[in-house]
Amino acid sequence: MNLFNRYSIIYKTPAEIEIMREAAQIVSRTLGILASEIKPGVTPLHLDKIAEEYIRSQNAIPGFLGLYDFPNTLCVSINEQVVHGIPTKRQLKEGDIISVDCGALFEGFYGDHAYTFEVGEVTPEVKKLLEVTKECLEIGIQQTNTSNRIGDIGFAIQQHAEKHGYGVVRDLVGHGLGRTMHEEPQVPNYGRRGSGKKIQNGLTIAIEPMINMGTEQVVQLDDKWTIVTADGLPSAHFEHDVAVVNGKPEVLSTFKYIEEALAKK
Ligand code: MG
Ligand code: MG
């Protein structure tokens, strides 16, 4: 499925970037609220309801609900599920990890970001996967400057993930973000140094490494949404919205609210 309905990059004005920051921050605060809710026994559908109510209370609209006919506000992907999991009544268990991906449409612009949470205590191997995937995101963000090309982002992410023996998902990629959820350019988490379009001021993208503990191969489930690892090993996913301003990356979303909530747990 080609999710990209634009064929050239739409660079944003400073005023548009400010609205996008608002949209991203609504998602950030939503994830912060969910961070305190996530524990064994809780269901993804419960999280979905909280997220939808909060987003609507902020004069925004859930960004995923109805998009390509997706049925919910959140994509919740547990353990070997990589992305696009549909929230269900399946109770979270001690030791699970869940990627919560959330979108919000605010004043005509989308925010789209994600975090992989630990449910109770997870194994050291899983903790490491989460840490490295978060590092991949940071490393990708650092590459998002006007000295570079789009391919430099994926190159750096891939190097870091593969150094740890992890698989970098190829079938799904980051993307331009703006008045539509998926715009040009595609932002793969793999690639060749110096390849792709030159990065320019006003570029707004969602960078979202999806890193598997084992094989990079993924499979789509019969629900036509959920993507799982082909070997059943866990997968992690972290996403930020990034704008290029004065040659440098500016992260529009934040993990601040999540980190504050987790510190209180
Ligand atoms: Mg997302
Ligand atoms: Mg995205």
Side-chain angles (χ1 to χ4, degrees), residues 68-126:
Y68 318 114
D69 291 328
F70 188 77
N72 290 83
T73 293
L74 300 178
C75 292
V76 179
S77 309
I78 305 171
N79 299 335
E80 79 287 356
Q81 298 176 353
V82 180
V83 286
H84 300 167
I86 299 172
T88 65
K89 290 184 188 158
R90 165 183 176 174
Q91 290 189 344
L92 298 176
K93 292 197 317 288
E94 180 86 20
D96 282 345
I97 51 170
I98 62 162
S99 155
V100 181
D101 196 349
C102 181
L105 176 63
F106 177 74
E107 293 187 1
F109 287 90
Y110 282 98
D112 170 24
H113 94 107
Y115 193 93
T116 302
F117 296 90
E118 302 171 17
V119 182
E121 278 299 311
V122 305
T123 65
E125 292 75 19
V126 168

Side-chain angles (χ1 to χ4, degrees), residues 70-71 81 83-86 88 220-228:
F70 188 77
Q81 298 176 353
V83 286
H84 300 167
I86 299 172
T88 65
Q220 188 176 50
L221 296 186
D222 288 342
D223 65 13
K224 299 274 181 269
W225 278 106
T226 316
I227 306 290
V228 299

Side-chain angles (χ1 to χ4, degrees), residues 8 39 41 62 65 72-73 80-81 83 138 152 180 193 213 228 230 240 246 261:
S8 57
K39 47 180 157 310
L65 186 62
N72 290 83
T73 293
E80 79 287 356
Q81 298 176 353
V83 286
E138 289 306 322
D152 292 308
T180 47
R193 184 182 267 163
M213 190 181 277
V228 299
H240 266 319
N246 296 326

